[in-house]
Amino acid sequence: MAKTLDKVEVLTVGVGWTGGIIAAELAKQGVQVVGLERGKPRSTEDFQHVHDEYRYAIRYELMQDLSRETITFRNHRDERALPMRQLGSFLLGEGLGGAGVHWNGQTWRFLPYDLQIKSKTDEKYGPDKLGADYTLQDWGITYDELEPYFYKFEEMAGISGEDNPNGAPRSKPYPTPPMKETPITQRFKDAANNLDLHPFHIPSGNLSESYENPDGQTVYQCQYCGFCERFGCEYGAKSSPNVTVIPTAQDTGNFELRMHANVTELVYDGGKVTGVKYVDLQTGDEFIQPADVVVLTSYVMNNVRLLLNSGIGRPYDPETGSGVIGKNYCYQILPGANGFFEEEKFNTYMGAGSLGAAIDDYNGDNFDHSDVNFIHGGVATITQTGQRPINNNTVPNGTPNWGQEFKSQSIKYYHRVLSVGAQGASIPHRDNYLSLDPDYKDIFGQPLLRMTYDYTEQDRNLHDYLSEKCAEIVKEMGADTVEPREISDHYSIVPYQTTHNTGGVIMGGDPETSAVNNYLQMWDVDNLFVVGSSAFAHNGGYNPTGTVGALAYRAAEGIMKFREENGQLVTARHSSKKV
Amino acid sequence: MAENEERSTMSRRRFLKNSSYVAGGAIGGGFLGTFLGRDLLRGTQQNSNGENSVNDFNRALMHFTRQSDFELLSAAVERIFPADDNGPGAIELGVPFFIDHQLAGSYGHNDREYMQGPFYPGSDFQGYQTRLKRHEVFDVGIKGIEEESRKEFDSSFTGLEGDQQDQILQKFQDNDVALKGVTSSTFFELLRSATLEGAYSDPLYGGNGNMKGWLMKEFPGSYMSYIEEIEEEEFINKEPQPLRAHIVSE
Ligand SMILES: Cc1cc2nc3c(=O)[nH]c(=O)nc-3n(C[C@H](O)[C@H](O)[C@H](O)COP(=O)(O)OP(=O)(O)OC[C@H]3O[C@@H](n4cnc5c(N)ncnc54)[C@H](O)[C@@H]3O)c2cc1C
Ligand code: SF4
């Protein structure tokens, strides 16, 4: 029998960036918040022996324990979905700080075009640019409305950056100056300038100088140690929830953190959510934690799964296009080009997770799409994140991947390859969605989340285009051999791509086609907020977390409003066409 | 706030302590030649073969029960990562011991992975789907290599010429060998990636013997900071540092 605990005002399911931001913002204003996090506690003290590629980058020490729960995956609806038995394509976070502990820190704002992608695309290119199978939607909020929240996130995290002529307009400069210029970033910028593009430094959550944020938390200066993404920072120099919002919440005395607390279900009475059920993973004890407001901050997979397993919201049906939970799952495509340099060696083993340079000339609607058969684009970057030897063995095409020739070539080119890669936007398609798996269960006997996902024509066309553009830059950088990347026949769950999963509980202006309003409040359940990239109506051409952070600040404001006003915070705009 | 202050003082103290790692690092090539022949760490010894090894006591078997299987594994990984002009191969680097030890632990037993049934073969895009755990996959795979060698060349794998061994391994990679419970390409990919992991992981795991994997690749291992060097135009070849250097005696 689950033990029922005393009611709390607000609880978050998961304590990563989103849970931490909600906790800090509410606790600062005197609200009692409980954070339920299923993983371990961890802080800078735990990262003093972290420079171990095998343990952290290959065996994924800081990421989700899949023996308890994973997802199942298939490319198409007519296939049997099978469990993702090992981490690969994306690396799910687990433990205090979530994936914010081991992210790179590249911190972007989605473009004004992104937030109104449907109207702006239709307006400029007509309503049939992609066809009806692409379930493109506006986000129910404009960039101007969201701008202050972007800054809140950047100011809290101390982001180091500089002006980007093709980026979203800013009301204030970045809180800290950009990261260092290196021969590699300089080489990219020179080439981009020669091609009449507009290069700039990647906005970075690895800070260029020590910074005290408005909450009094200090993030230290990055040392370019080369063990950043997939690792925790041994200096507290990578902005993470653990060195910012979590201590801020704790300092108020209004935040109670419960670790090893795995939420299995939301308690739903058909009108509102009265609390959650969770299991203490160390004792096996079950609890019901009642709350006035429940905030799902457990990343895309669990945000969607907990709703479906608790019977909340209308599940998406790809056959009819009706329903919303699980709809518009998007990911990312990774066009790019490798350049091999015969005469030069670069210090590629040094670096930081967000050290690099970028161009936005091929992102969003920054170029005309009238004559191409796709929309959107992506940021193209060169990064210097610290290449470690197990994971980095790039060899020219046609080289075998073992044996003497492989050994020689992989050693020869280890410091002689520079790549330019793009983060291609991912446009929703009716066949790409999330649902419950009919067969596979987690350790508690609850259905796993099932992902049905494959590349679309839009993805392939955009991929070809961006790979070619990246190749032009690499060539201009002076590479002796340039090899553009090709997209695989189907999306594969095996090789790492990005942990930029989005959608499933999308925001919008119309409850028929979206799950949450622009405060990330569920249309169907007033006291339930679902926060994270699950709210993205499509995935833009950048890493997601700058936008996720902005939405979390917006949601925190919504929760404060809800405590005063109750009910829905936004008036629904019903489309004439019911689906 | 007291707690806050304490945290930042600690971080600063640690920062200062850590910065001592920054020192050193010569510019230009030459470490490979300089260091291959001698020990990089206190406490290392030469073993009877004249090889450098940090500690001989853990060069014993945790997973394999028959030395012949271990020798087959050794021969196979040496073909994947052979000794050549660049430097030592998998055997000298200790890769077979690395793999044996990993198979005995959480890697070999897929501890943090989803291993509930039902099991189906799956498409090429769905990843690992065998019910066998890695240690079982290796057992099945090594037995399969031996059988295939006898079938193809009428000889034990360890008795074959290098290019014959390659032919056998290639068949495994191409999924041309039927194994029980797992595809031969799944086994080969595990073997291939474990070989690279053993060659290039921190020497604490028993591979990358005397950091010679890193020396070959000119990877300096674990340094705490490159802030003073990141802007340099020249390639900087640094003496590698293992994680052991992080154990500070206070
Ligand atoms: C290697 C890597 C590099 C990345 N680099 C970048 C980058 O450069 N830029 C960028 O923008 N983004 C990057 N990301 C993505 C970024 O890390 C995420 O967008 C961000 O951390 C998501 O925050 P979140 O709070 O939504 O989710 P998470 O950080 O995943 O937090 C969710 C938390 O909820 C917990 N949880 C889940 N289910 C339950 C449950 N049922 N009960 C209790 N707790 C639960 C989890 O344990 C987890 O701690 C990267 C990710 C990875 C893995
Ligand atoms: S590169 Fe910088 S931010 Fe990243 S882990 Fe190293 S010191 Fe920390």
PDB file of all heavy atoms in Angstrom, chain A residues 265-288:
ATOM      1  N   GLU A 265       3.300   7.378 -11.781  1.00  0.00           N
ATOM      2  CA  GLU A 265       1.956   7.708 -12.238  1.00  0.00           C
ATOM      3  C   GLU A 265       1.537   9.068 -11.690  1.00  0.00           C
ATOM      4  O   GLU A 265       1.932   9.448 -10.594  1.00  0.00           O
ATOM      5  CB  GLU A 265       1.001   6.641 -11.670  1.00  0.00           C
ATOM      6  CG  GLU A 265      -0.298   6.491 -12.402  1.00  0.00           C
ATOM      7  CD  GLU A 265      -1.188   5.453 -11.697  1.00  0.00           C
ATOM      8  OE1 GLU A 265      -0.658   4.395 -11.266  1.00  0.00           O
ATOM      9  OE2 GLU A 265      -2.381   5.735 -11.560  1.00  0.00           O
ATOM     10  N   LEU A 266       0.712   9.772 -12.458  1.00  0.00           N
ATOM     11  CA  LEU A 266       0.077  10.973 -11.917  1.00  0.00           C
ATOM     12  C   LEU A 266      -1.297  10.551 -11.407  1.00  0.00           C
ATOM     13  O   LEU A 266      -1.983   9.762 -12.044  1.00  0.00           O
ATOM     14  CB  LEU A 266      -0.095  12.040 -12.993  1.00  0.00           C
ATOM     15  CG  LEU A 266       1.143  12.418 -13.818  1.00  0.00           C
ATOM     16  CD1 LEU A 266       0.846  13.639 -14.688  1.00  0.00           C
ATOM     17  CD2 LEU A 266       2.333  12.698 -12.919  1.00  0.00           C
ATOM     18  N   VAL A 267      -1.680  11.073 -10.248  1.00  0.00           N
ATOM     19  CA  VAL A 267      -2.998  10.747  -9.714  1.00  0.00           C
ATOM     20  C   VAL A 267      -3.986  11.761 -10.289  1.00  0.00           C
ATOM     21  O   VAL A 267      -3.862  12.968 -10.057  1.00  0.00           O
ATOM     22  CB  VAL A 267      -3.002  10.776  -8.173  1.00  0.00           C
ATOM     23  CG1 VAL A 267      -4.348  10.265  -7.657  1.00  0.00           C
ATOM     24  CG2 VAL A 267      -1.862   9.935  -7.615  1.00  0.00           C
ATOM     25  N   TYR A 268      -4.941  11.263 -11.056  1.00  0.00           N
ATOM     26  CA  TYR A 268      -5.797  12.123 -11.882  1.00  0.00           C
ATOM     27  C   TYR A 268      -7.239  11.797 -11.560  1.00  0.00           C
ATOM     28  O   TYR A 268      -7.643  10.621 -11.602  1.00  0.00           O
ATOM     29  CB  TYR A 268      -5.480  11.806 -13.351  1.00  0.00           C
ATOM     30  CG  TYR A 268      -6.280  12.561 -14.376  1.00  0.00           C
ATOM     31  CD1 TYR A 268      -6.370  13.957 -14.340  1.00  0.00           C
ATOM     32  CD2 TYR A 268      -6.909  11.874 -15.423  1.00  0.00           C
ATOM     33  CE1 TYR A 268      -7.085  14.633 -15.319  1.00  0.00           C
ATOM     34  CE2 TYR A 268      -7.625  12.558 -16.398  1.00  0.00           C
ATOM     35  CZ  TYR A 268      -7.715  13.943 -16.343  1.00  0.00           C
ATOM     36  OH  TYR A 268      -8.411  14.610 -17.305  1.00  0.00           O
ATOM     37  N   ASP A 269      -8.034  12.832 -11.243  1.00  0.00           N
ATOM     38  CA  ASP A 269      -9.431  12.555 -10.888  1.00  0.00           C
ATOM     39  C   ASP A 269     -10.390  12.884 -12.031  1.00  0.00           C
ATOM     40  O   ASP A 269     -11.590  13.030 -11.827  1.00  0.00           O
ATOM     41  CB  ASP A 269      -9.816  13.283  -9.592  1.00  0.00           C
ATOM     42  CG  ASP A 269      -9.878  14.802  -9.775  1.00  0.00           C
ATOM     43  OD1 ASP A 269      -9.803  15.286 -10.929  1.00  0.00           O
ATOM     44  OD2 ASP A 269     -10.009  15.522  -8.758  1.00  0.00           O
ATOM     45  N   GLY A 270      -9.840  13.021 -13.236  1.00  0.00           N
ATOM     46  CA  GLY A 270     -10.682  13.319 -14.384  1.00  0.00           C
ATOM     47  C   GLY A 270     -10.798  14.809 -14.631  1.00  0.00           C
ATOM     48  O   GLY A 270     -11.050  15.232 -15.758  1.00  0.00           O
ATOM     49  N   GLY A 271     -10.549  15.612 -13.616  1.00  0.00           N
ATOM     50  CA  GLY A 271     -10.573  17.058 -13.780  1.00  0.00           C
ATOM     51  C   GLY A 271      -9.203  17.635 -13.540  1.00  0.00           C
ATOM     52  O   GLY A 271      -8.616  18.289 -14.389  1.00  0.00           O
ATOM     53  N   LYS A 272      -8.632  17.331 -12.365  1.00  0.00           N
ATOM     54  CA  LYS A 272      -7.281  17.797 -12.133  1.00  0.00           C
ATOM     55  C   LYS A 272      -6.388  16.688 -11.603  1.00  0.00           C
ATOM     56  O   LYS A 272      -6.867  15.597 -11.255  1.00  0.00           O
ATOM     57  CB  LYS A 272      -7.268  19.018 -11.224  1.00  0.00           C
ATOM     58  CG  LYS A 272      -8.043  18.883  -9.981  1.00  0.00           C
ATOM     59  CD  LYS A 272      -8.004  20.179  -9.191  1.00  0.00           C
ATOM     60  CE  LYS A 272      -8.147  19.754  -7.764  1.00  0.00           C
ATOM     61  NZ  LYS A 272      -7.985  20.630  -6.719  1.00  0.00           N
ATOM     62  N   VAL A 273      -5.101  16.995 -11.565  1.00  0.00           N
ATOM     63  CA  VAL A 273      -4.134  16.044 -11.027  1.00  0.00           C
ATOM     64  C   VAL A 273      -3.977  16.360  -9.553  1.00  0.00           C
ATOM     65  O   VAL A 273      -3.692  17.500  -9.188  1.00  0.00           O
ATOM     66  CB  VAL A 273      -2.799  16.187 -11.783  1.00  0.00           C
ATOM     67  CG1 VAL A 273      -1.689  15.466 -11.050  1.00  0.00           C
ATOM     68  CG2 VAL A 273      -2.941  15.638 -13.197  1.00  0.00           C
ATOM     69  N   THR A 274      -4.205  15.372  -8.696  1.00  0.00           N
ATOM     70  CA  THR A 274      -4.150  15.653  -7.259  1.00  0.00           C
ATOM     71  C   THR A 274      -2.782  15.366  -6.659  1.00  0.00           C
ATOM     72  O   THR A 274      -2.525  15.702  -5.510  1.00  0.00           O
ATOM     73  CB  THR A 274      -5.216  14.833  -6.505  1.00  0.00           C
ATOM     74  OG1 THR A 274      -4.976  13.437  -6.788  1.00  0.00           O
ATOM     75  CG2 THR A 274      -6.618  15.202  -6.968  1.00  0.00           C
ATOM     76  N   GLY A 275      -1.911  14.724  -7.429  1.00  0.00           N
ATOM     77  CA  GLY A 275      -0.576  14.428  -6.918  1.00  0.00           C
ATOM     78  C   GLY A 275       0.085  13.385  -7.792  1.00  0.00           C
ATOM     79  O   GLY A 275      -0.361  13.141  -8.920  1.00  0.00           O
ATOM     80  N   VAL A 276       1.154  12.770  -7.254  1.00  0.00           N
ATOM     81  CA  VAL A 276       1.819  11.718  -8.013  1.00  0.00           C
ATOM     82  C   VAL A 276       2.077  10.523  -7.108  1.00  0.00           C
ATOM     83  O   VAL A 276       2.108  10.634  -5.889  1.00  0.00           O
ATOM     84  CB  VAL A 276       3.176  12.180  -8.601  1.00  0.00           C
ATOM     85  CG1 VAL A 276       3.006  13.438  -9.441  1.00  0.00           C
ATOM     86  CG2 VAL A 276       4.220  12.387  -7.502  1.00  0.00           C
ATOM     87  N   LYS A 277       2.293   9.399  -7.771  1.00  0.00           N
ATOM     88  CA  LYS A 277       2.695   8.191  -7.058  1.00  0.00           C
ATOM     89  C   LYS A 277       4.172   7.977  -7.365  1.00  0.00           C
ATOM     90  O   LYS A 277       4.580   8.101  -8.515  1.00  0.00           O
ATOM     91  CB  LYS A 277       1.873   7.034  -7.597  1.00  0.00           C
ATOM     92  CG  LYS A 277       1.936   5.771  -6.797  1.00  0.00           C
ATOM     93  CD  LYS A 277       0.853   4.842  -7.356  1.00  0.00           C
ATOM     94  CE  LYS A 277       0.834   3.536  -6.622  1.00  0.00           C
ATOM     95  NZ  LYS A 277      -0.178   2.644  -7.212  1.00  0.00           N
ATOM     96  N   TYR A 278       4.965   7.695  -6.335  1.00  0.00           N
ATOM     97  CA  TYR A 278       6.369   7.395  -6.624  1.00  0.00           C
ATOM     98  C   TYR A 278       6.902   6.267  -5.749  1.00  0.00           C
ATOM     99  O   TYR A 278       6.327   5.939  -4.714  1.00  0.00           O
ATOM    100  CB  TYR A 278       7.238   8.653  -6.516  1.00  0.00           C
ATOM    101  CG  TYR A 278       7.545   9.161  -5.118  1.00  0.00           C
ATOM    102  CD1 TYR A 278       8.691   8.726  -4.436  1.00  0.00           C
ATOM    103  CD2 TYR A 278       6.738  10.107  -4.495  1.00  0.00           C
ATOM    104  CE1 TYR A 278       9.012   9.213  -3.169  1.00  0.00           C
ATOM    105  CE2 TYR A 278       7.042  10.598  -3.226  1.00  0.00           C
ATOM    106  CZ  TYR A 278       8.179  10.144  -2.564  1.00  0.00           C
ATOM    107  OH  TYR A 278       8.487  10.623  -1.323  1.00  0.00           O
ATOM    108  N   VAL A 279       8.000   5.688  -6.217  1.00  0.00           N
ATOM    109  CA  VAL A 279       8.672   4.606  -5.494  1.00  0.00           C
ATOM    110  C   VAL A 279      10.054   5.088  -5.094  1.00  0.00           C
ATOM    111  O   VAL A 279      10.769   5.665  -5.910  1.00  0.00           O
ATOM    112  CB  VAL A 279       8.825   3.359  -6.401  1.00  0.00           C
ATOM    113  CG1 VAL A 279       9.537   2.227  -5.660  1.00  0.00           C
ATOM    114  CG2 VAL A 279       7.480   2.897  -6.925  1.00  0.00           C
ATOM    115  N   ASP A 280      10.403   4.884  -3.826  1.00  0.00           N
ATOM    116  CA  ASP A 280      11.773   5.138  -3.402  1.00  0.00           C
ATOM    117  C   ASP A 280      12.615   3.948  -3.867  1.00  0.00           C
ATOM    118  O   ASP A 280      12.421   2.817  -3.404  1.00  0.00           O
ATOM    119  CB  ASP A 280      11.846   5.284  -1.875  1.00  0.00           C
ATOM    120  CG  ASP A 280      13.261   5.603  -1.397  1.00  0.00           C
ATOM    121  OD1 ASP A 280      14.228   5.044  -1.981  1.00  0.00           O
ATOM    122  OD2 ASP A 280      13.408   6.396  -0.461  1.00  0.00           O
ATOM    123  N   LEU A 281      13.538   4.208  -4.791  1.00  0.00           N
ATOM    124  CA  LEU A 281      14.277   3.103  -5.419  1.00  0.00           C
ATOM    125  C   LEU A 281      15.219   2.406  -4.441  1.00  0.00           C
ATOM    126  O   LEU A 281      15.654   1.288  -4.687  1.00  0.00           O
ATOM    127  CB  LEU A 281      15.071   3.614  -6.625  1.00  0.00           C
ATOM    128  CG  LEU A 281      14.223   4.068  -7.821  1.00  0.00           C
ATOM    129  CD1 LEU A 281      15.098   4.782  -8.852  1.00  0.00           C
ATOM    130  CD2 LEU A 281      13.508   2.891  -8.474  1.00  0.00           C
ATOM    131  N   GLN A 282      15.540   3.064  -3.324  1.00  0.00           N
ATOM    132  CA  GLN A 282      16.448   2.426  -2.369  1.00  0.00           C
ATOM    133  C   GLN A 282      15.723   1.532  -1.373  1.00  0.00           C
ATOM    134  O   GLN A 282      16.291   0.584  -0.854  1.00  0.00           O
ATOM    135  CB  GLN A 282      17.267   3.495  -1.637  1.00  0.00           C
ATOM    136  CG  GLN A 282      18.267   4.162  -2.568  1.00  0.00           C
ATOM    137  CD  GLN A 282      19.120   5.192  -1.876  1.00  0.00           C
ATOM    138  OE1 GLN A 282      18.612   6.003  -1.101  1.00  0.00           O
ATOM    139  NE2 GLN A 282      20.411   5.186  -2.150  1.00  0.00           N
ATOM    140  N   THR A 283      14.461   1.852  -1.070  1.00  0.00           N
ATOM    141  CA  THR A 283      13.726   1.037  -0.096  1.00  0.00           C
ATOM    142  C   THR A 283      12.617   0.220  -0.746  1.00  0.00           C
ATOM    143  O   THR A 283      12.125  -0.731  -0.154  1.00  0.00           O
ATOM    144  CB  THR A 283      13.058   1.934   0.963  1.00  0.00           C
ATOM    145  OG1 THR A 283      12.118   2.792   0.290  1.00  0.00           O
ATOM    146  CG2 THR A 283      14.078   2.770   1.714  1.00  0.00           C
ATOM    147  N   GLY A 284      12.187   0.636  -1.932  1.00  0.00           N
ATOM    148  CA  GLY A 284      11.044  -0.009  -2.568  1.00  0.00           C
ATOM    149  C   GLY A 284       9.713   0.513  -2.045  1.00  0.00           C
ATOM    150  O   GLY A 284       8.656   0.103  -2.515  1.00  0.00           O
ATOM    151  N   ASP A 285       9.738   1.437  -1.079  1.00  0.00           N
ATOM    152  CA  ASP A 285       8.481   1.965  -0.528  1.00  0.00           C
ATOM    153  C   ASP A 285       7.757   2.834  -1.550  1.00  0.00           C
ATOM    154  O   ASP A 285       8.381   3.597  -2.287  1.00  0.00           O
ATOM    155  CB  ASP A 285       8.760   2.814   0.723  1.00  0.00           C
ATOM    156  CG  ASP A 285       9.290   1.953   1.863  1.00  0.00           C
ATOM    157  OD1 ASP A 285       9.067   0.720   1.820  1.00  0.00           O
ATOM    158  OD2 ASP A 285       9.947   2.502   2.770  1.00  0.00           O
ATOM    159  N   GLU A 286       6.426   2.725  -1.534  1.00  0.00           N
ATOM    160  CA  GLU A 286       5.590   3.508  -2.448  1.00  0.00           C
ATOM    161  C   GLU A 286       4.925   4.656  -1.705  1.00  0.00           C
ATOM    162  O   GLU A 286       4.439   4.457  -0.591  1.00  0.00           O
ATOM    163  CB  GLU A 286       4.481   2.616  -3.013  1.00  0.00           C
ATOM    164  CG  GLU A 286       4.829   1.956  -4.316  1.00  0.00           C
ATOM    165  CD  GLU A 286       3.585   1.361  -4.970  1.00  0.00           C
ATOM    166  OE1 GLU A 286       2.624   1.006  -4.253  1.00  0.00           O
ATOM    167  OE2 GLU A 286       3.574   1.273  -6.186  1.00  0.00           O
ATOM    168  N   PHE A 287       4.852   5.790  -2.354  1.00  0.00           N
ATOM    169  CA  PHE A 287       4.226   6.965  -1.740  1.00  0.00           C
ATOM    170  C   PHE A 287       3.273   7.635  -2.708  1.00  0.00           C
ATOM    171  O   PHE A 287       3.475   7.592  -3.917  1.00  0.00           O
ATOM    172  CB  PHE A 287       5.288   8.000  -1.341  1.00  0.00           C
ATOM    173  CG  PHE A 287       6.296   7.483  -0.352  1.00  0.00           C
ATOM    174  CD1 PHE A 287       7.504   6.963  -0.787  1.00  0.00           C
ATOM    175  CD2 PHE A 287       6.020   7.506   1.012  1.00  0.00           C
ATOM    176  CE1 PHE A 287       8.433   6.469   0.119  1.00  0.00           C
ATOM    177  CE2 PHE A 287       6.950   7.020   1.932  1.00  0.00           C
ATOM    178  CZ  PHE A 287       8.162   6.499   1.480  1.00  0.00           C
ATOM    179  N   ILE A 288       2.233   8.254  -2.126  1.00  0.00           N
ATOM    180  CA  ILE A 288       1.427   9.204  -2.889  1.00  0.00           C
ATOM    181  C   ILE A 288       1.794  10.576  -2.348  1.00  0.00           C
ATOM    182  O   ILE A 288       1.711  10.814  -1.140  1.00  0.00           O
ATOM    183  CB  ILE A 288      -0.085   8.983  -2.663  1.00  0.00           C
ATOM    184  CG1 ILE A 288      -0.469   7.548  -2.982  1.00  0.00           C
ATOM    185  CG2 ILE A 288      -0.898  10.036  -3.416  1.00  0.00           C
ATOM    186  CD1 ILE A 288      -1.093   7.301  -4.304  1.00  0.00           C
TER     187      ILE A 288
END
